Amino acid sequence: MKQFLIIAFLFITALSFSQKEEEDLKVGLVLSGGGAKGLAHIGALKVIEEAGVRIDYIGGTSMGAIIGALYASGYSATQLDSIFQETNFSSLIQDEIPRSAKTFYEKNESEKYAFVLPFDNFKISFPSGLSKGQNVYNLISKLTSHVSDISDFSKLPIPFFCIATDVEKGEEVILNRGYLPRAVLASGALPSLFSPVVINDKVLIDGGVVNNYPVNEVRAKGMDVIIGIDVQDSLKSRDKLKSAFDVLVQINNYRTIEDMIPKRGETDIYIHPNINNFSVVSFNEGKEIVKSGVIAAQEFKTKLDSVARAQKVKKKKEVKFQDRDSIFIKEVRIEGNEKYTRSYVLGKLKLRIPDKVSFKDFSEGINNLSATGNFQDINYRFFQDEENHNTLLLQLRESSSSLMLRFAAHYDHLFSTAGLVNITRKRLLTNNDIASLDLIIGDNLRYNFEYYIDKGFYWSVGFNSKYHFFETDVPLNFIDPDLDNEISLPINKLSIKYSDFTNQLYFQTLFKRSFVFGIGAEHKYLRYLSETIGTDNNNMPRTVFESTNYYSSYGFLKYDTYDNSFFPKSGAYFSGDLHWYLFTHGRNVNFKPFSIAKAKLGYAHKLFKTVSAHITTEGGFKLSGSETTTLDFALGGYGFKEMNNIIPLLGYDAIALRGNTYLKSTITFDYEIFKKNHLNIGANIANVGDNLFDNAQWIDGIDHTGIFAGYGLETVFGPMEIKYSYSPELNESEWYVALGYRF
């Protein structure tokens, strides 16, 4: 009986298509939206390909537009499966920018503030989406580079269109011309997740809002048979509505589910994978979702075989993919940059033209430009000449936002608790500038003001003014250089109040894409005292050890490719600094000019998938100026922002050791037990003292050692760390807690 039914079905199918055989049967493909569930399209396409069905037109929405555009540009289902298995969707969706790709200014900014809110007209607002979709755009641009010169989507290897929504009019927009990656990005701009996309002066969002299954539009292209793959949500029960995002999707599903009733009838082969156990963000379950598409399509294998037999055999046009890792850019044309100069844009891109750059570096440069927040849209495409040289057309839409509020919080054993409120103004006095003021309140009041004019690869100029204050206990030998040798105190420790007021004017420039070199002039007022001992000239119960203005010139060189500042798994780091102190005003009347040089070198390497090693070595010394001791190196403690020459050393209290020369090395082994959770062990060693290089004390043994173990957690507020350390020399242990970004 079963065999009879199959034969009957094939007979009827053959009759229904018999009139079309001479004309050739045209097959249209409809791909619905559905977020991560859209990966099921790939599985279904595998079965359609195996059956030999030729697709003549594709219409898609949202994730269906992404899969459809790539398939239309010549990729096979198997190729798409490989591409998406290798894609980190978390980074893709969130526009995560590798730290190594950022300029030094962006690195500092991103590792300081937990929350950023627009504050234009002194009113707090919220971004239009969590992501601009820049990573999605970069990926699609690279994958479709072989068809980048095609503006009419009907000229693609398989004709294609996608659906977007005009957010101002609530109307459907069919995108069948333009730049393919831009159209796809607009079709998938899910509200609240991705920012809207502007095309032809229309503000566009996810096409699923108005038409998540464009079957009638595909039929209108003259298609005889419609194959539809539907991965839309069904309505969820209350126990599965666990977030505001789930509720938003559910509300949109009211209309799409009702719309699908007639649309299913318009579909000749309706493939509906079982995706009930997945959500629109279940990208980590991609393999299972693809498999569900395979299973659903296999139920229609007989029908698909019949359709394939009813089509004329046509030789598939060979698609030449641009299988290359780099691109030669001979020229850059920039449009839409009214407030930001060409040098600023190229500096953020880290581009010097003509230049050969890898696609990876170029994408990272685009993301770094996006991370500035100065551009609402970054649209680009390449035009290739006969010599395989490329002109980059960069179309920008500058952001109108110029004022921001930023917030952070921190705790460590030196500065104690601190809350930070920052106000940042862009384009304050000129194009390319940024002014930023940190107000830090808590156990110790502080501030940090930064004004910076960014000129990219040209010399940029900055001004920084900051005030730091803390109170802590130090061993008595720490202040020995500042005391009268005849004074004897019957205590081991005393409390000091330490304040530093610094102003810097500097110039810096980028070179070799990864280095920054700078020179500057500095004024520093340094003051520290103890209220534990003595009486000053005003009969106040305190002893002032230092109260002097220092004036210096300085230079610095930095290199930083760490993938993570706090838990690095890969990359290298170098920082060198030379200060030449020229004259003073204040308490230090015996001053003679001197220099302080210091440098730090680090390297991180992944040993296994979740285990990495991080090694650093650093040192510093003073030339001349033995009369001045208050700017000596002070070592000890952990978790605070480094300032002056105060340097962490695990196993010791903060600023417990002092000298005009130091050497220090650290090795840390980090095990990421699960994502963003770190267990680490390691050791640091140091020699600290006066003139160590003069008397060979720097190599005669190790004076200070600390071994440690700790746990760290990466959060939106910054790293949360707790460490236990032990010093064999002291035969004592120390606990350190450091919470939040360091400022």
Side-chain angles (χ1 to χ4, degrees):
M1 182 64 180
K2 185 176 180 180
Q3 291 179 339
F4 173 77
L5 290 175
I6 293 174
I7 294 171
F9 172 78
L10 292 174
F11 178 74
I12 294 171
T13 303
L15 286 176
S16 64
F17 292 149
S18 61
Q19 293 180 344
K20 296 289 182 181
E21 284 184 351
E22 295 182 0
E23 302 174 5
D24 192 18
L25 198 66
K26 293 184 178 180
V27 177
L29 178 66
V30 181
L31 303 176
S32 80
K37 293 181 289 187
L39 296 175
H41 292 319
I42 296 173
L45 283 170
K46 285 184 176 182
V47 178
I48 293 171
E49 281 184 355
E50 291 170 359
V53 176
R54 186 189 72 244
I55 302 299
D56 297 292
Y57 224 112
I58 301 174
T61 299
S62 195
M63 191 63 174
I66 295 174
I67 302 294
L70 294 176
Y71 197 73
S73 65
Y75 288 95
S76 68
T78 301
Q79 287 174 312
L80 292 180
D81 194 13
S82 298
I83 290 169
F84 284 100
Q85 281 188 32
E86 296 173 359
T87 300
N88 184 331
F89 284 97
S90 176
S91 298
L92 193 72
I93 293 172
Q94 297 177 36
D95 275 349
E96 288 186 8
I97 303 170
R99 183 181 180 277
S100 58
K102 299 177 183 177
T103 63
F104 284 89
Y105 189 86
E106 270 71 43
K107 285 172 184 172
N108 292 334
E109 294 291 285
S110 65
E111 294 164 358
K112 194 178 192 181
Y113 306 109
F115 299 104
V116 180
L117 295 174
F119 195 51
D120 294 291
N121 300 317
F122 300 99
K123 295 180 180 178
I124 293 177
S125 58
F126 295 90
S128 57
L130 297 176
S131 168
K132 294 179 182 178
Q134 195 65 56
N135 278 338
V136 177
Y137 184 87
N138 293 344
L139 177 63
I140 302 300
S141 293
K142 179 183 178 182
L143 294 175
T144 60
S145 60
H146 61 290
V147 293
S148 61
D149 58 337
I150 297 177
S151 298
D152 183 350
F153 301 165
S154 67
K155 304 298 184 184
L156 291 168
I158 301 175
F160 168 80
F161 71 83
C162 59
I163 302 294
T165 302
D166 186 330
V167 73
E168 294 179 302
K169 298 180 179 179
E171 297 176 351
E172 171 185 312
V173 177
I174 297 178
L175 299 173
N176 53 16
R177 300 185 65 86
Y179 188 47
L180 185 60
R182 196 69 178 164
V184 168
L185 187 65
S187 181
L190 186 65
S192 78
L193 183 60
F194 292 109
S195 298
V197 177
V198 177
I199 297 179
N200 297 329
D201 204 33
K202 294 181 178 179
V203 182
L204 305 179
I205 60 172
D206 195 311
V209 174
V210 291
N211 187 354
N212 205 32
Y213 188 82
V215 61
N216 295 321
E217 290 75 9
V218 174
R219 179 77 73 179
K221 299 297 182 181
M223 299 298 104
D224 304 307
V225 174
I226 300 294
I227 300 174
I229 308 172
D230 181 14
V231 294
Q232 299 175 79
D233 270 321
S234 57
L235 294 180
K236 295 181 179 179
S237 59
R238 69 180 72 177
D239 60 312
K240 293 185 178 180
L241 296 173
K242 298 180 179 179
S243 67
F245 184 74
D246 291 336
V247 174
L248 180 65
V249 173
Q250 178 94 329
I251 293 171
N252 187 60
N253 287 341
Y254 295 155
R255 181 195 50 76
T256 58
I257 290 172
E258 184 176 348
D259 287 350
M260 280 307 300
I261 296 174
K263 287 182 176 182
R264 278 195 295 268
E266 295 292 328
T267 308
D268 299 296
I269 299 178
Y270 178 73
I271 302 173
H272 186 50
N274 181 5
I275 36 80
N276 293 328
N277 294 328
F278 308 109
S279 73
V280 293
V281 291
S282 297
F283 290 103
N284 59 333
E285 300 178 271
K287 289 184 178 180
E288 291 77 9
I289 296 174
V290 171
K291 185 177 180 180
S292 70
V294 173
I295 294 171
Q298 284 177 336
E299 297 178 8
F300 298 91
K301 188 67 166 60
T302 303
K303 279 190 175 183
L304 293 171
D305 289 339
S306 180
V307 170
R309 286 195 298 270
Q311 291 182 300
K312 288 184 178 179
V313 177
K314 293 183 179 180
K315 185 178 180 180
K316 189 175 181 180
K317 184 178 179 180
E318 184 179 354
V319 177
K320 293 184 179 180
F321 297 101
Q322 294 184 355
D323 186 17
R324 55 183 179 176
D325 295 325
S326 60
I327 186 169
F328 185 87
I329 302 175
K330 71 171 185 178
E331 183 183 355
V332 176
R333 289 161 42 202
I334 304 176
E335 298 176 356
N337 59 319
E338 299 175 358
K339 300 171 183 174
Y340 294 95
T341 63
R342 176 183 176 87
S343 61
Y344 174 86
V345 173
L346 293 179
K348 295 302 178 184
L349 291 174
K350 298 183 180 180
L351 272 181
R352 282 188 179 274
I353 53 171
D355 194 12
K356 183 178 181 181
V357 298
S358 69
F359 277 109
K360 180 177 180 292
D361 287 342
F362 175 75
S363 294
E364 290 178 348
I366 289 290
N367 277 347
N368 189 49
L369 185 64
S370 177
T372 64
N374 296 328
F375 302 95
Q376 187 62 39
D377 286 329
I378 302 174
N379 193 10
Y380 65 87
R381 65 191 303 179
F382 293 100
F383 298 93
Q384 192 175 82
D385 60 21
E386 298 80 9
E387 299 178 349
N388 293 326
H389 294 170
N390 292 269
T391 295
L392 168 65
L393 173 61
L394 195 63
Q395 297 172 313
L396 306 174
R397 184 163 66 95
E398 295 178 341
S399 172
S400 59
S401 179
S402 61
L403 195 63
M404 294 179 293
L405 278 180
R406 304 191 280 190
F407 305 91
H410 180 77
Y411 171 81
D412 65 61
H413 289 195
L414 184 60
F415 289 102
S416 299
T417 58
L420 182 154
V421 178
N422 168 275
I423 185 166
T424 296
R425 174 62 191 265
K426 299 178 181 179
R427 305 185 299 276
L428 178 65
L429 301 177
T430 183
N431 291 340
N432 303 358
D433 76 352
I434 183 169
S436 173
L437 175 63
D438 293 336
L439 296 175
I440 304 168
I441 57 176
D443 291 310
N444 298 290
L445 295 178
R446 293 176 282 152
Y447 86 86
N448 183 47
F449 173 76
E450 182 87 32
Y451 179 76
Y452 186 63
I453 302 175
D454 193 336
K455 294 187 176 182
F457 283 105
Y458 297 100
W459 283 94
S460 301
V461 59
F463 172 76
N464 175 244
S465 177
K466 55 193 174 185
Y467 173 76
H468 290 296
F469 174 85
F470 63 81
E471 184 174 3
T472 189
D473 292 335
V474 298
L476 192 61
N477 59 14
F478 180 85
I479 62 165
D480 278 349
D482 308 311
L483 285 173
D484 188 326
N485 292 332
E486 297 179 359
I487 295 178
S488 177
L489 298 174
I491 54 176
N492 295 322
K493 286 188 175 184
L494 78 163
S495 175
I496 65 168
K497 293 183 176 181
Y498 185 104
S499 59
D500 171 89
F501 174 56
T502 300
N503 300 288
Q504 295 175 321
L505 177 66
Y506 61 92
F507 301 86
Q508 67 179 38
T509 184
L510 289 169
F511 68 98
K512 298 294 184 181
R513 295 178 61 88
S514 299
F515 288 89
V516 62
F517 169 72
I519 56 175
E522 177 184 273
H523 158 255
K524 180 184 294 292
Y525 174 62
L526 189 61
R527 183 173 188 261
Y528 63 91
L529 58 88
S530 174
E531 296 177 347
T532 306
I533 58 174
T535 303
D536 68 6
N537 295 333
N538 297 319
N539 205 31
M540 299 289 289
R542 63 186 182 182
T543 297
V544 178
F545 302 110
E546 174 63 294
S547 180
T548 305
N549 292 279
Y550 291 90
Y551 300 89
S552 66
S553 61
Y554 67 98
F556 58 89
L557 177 65
K558 294 180 181 179
Y559 174 85
D560 185 357
T561 59
Y562 279 159
D563 63 333
N564 186 304
S565 177
F566 304 101
F567 307 100
K569 298 177 184 176
S570 64
Y573 177 88
F574 173 80
S575 176
D577 180 279
L578 175 63
H579 268 69
W580 184 19
Y581 293 90
L582 301 170
F583 56 94
T584 65
H585 172 72
R587 186 177 185 275
N588 188 351
V589 294
N590 297 318
F591 173 85
K592 292 182 180 179
F594 64 92
S595 299
I596 292 181
K598 58 183 177 180
K600 182 177 181 179
L601 180 66
Y603 177 72
H605 181 70
K606 187 182 292 186
L607 303 177
F608 305 101
K609 185 176 181 180
T610 57
V611 178
S612 58
H614 180 212
I615 301 173
T616 65
T617 186
E618 58 187 291
F621 59 90
K622 182 166 68 172
L623 292 173
S624 301
S626 59
E627 300 81 6
T628 301
T629 59
T630 52
L631 284 166
D632 285 355
F633 300 100
L635 274 67
Y638 178 78
F640 52 85
K641 178 180 175 62
E642 294 185 25
M643 55 175 288
N644 289 342
N645 297 317
I646 299 176
I647 296 159
L649 181 68
L650 287 152
Y652 291 80
D653 286 332
I655 61 173
L657 306 173
R658 178 173 172 175
N660 66 21
T661 310
Y662 88 100
L663 291 169
K664 173 192 166 187
S665 293
T666 305
I667 183 168
T668 304
F669 295 97
D670 186 277
Y671 171 40
E672 191 169 8
I673 50 175
F674 40 90
K675 190 174 182 180
K676 300 193 176 189
N677 287 259
H678 302 262
L679 293 178
N680 45 67
I681 59 172
N684 55 200
I685 57 175
N687 282 348
V688 187
D690 291 333
N691 308 315
L692 296 185
F693 294 125
D694 293 344
N695 49 30
Q697 290 182 7
W698 67 283
I699 56 173
D700 65 357
I702 297 172
D703 297 332
H704 308 288
T705 307
I707 56 176
F708 58 87
Y711 168 76
L713 174 66
E714 299 178 64
T715 75
V716 295
F717 299 98
M720 305 294 178
E721 296 182 86
I722 181 170
K723 289 186 184 293
Y724 169 82
S725 68
Y726 173 75
S727 170
E729 293 80 23
L730 300 178
N731 194 25
E732 293 179 359
S733 61
E734 291 279 349
W735 283 93
Y736 304 97
V737 176
L739 307 176
Y741 290 119
R742 297 167 189 173
F743 50 79

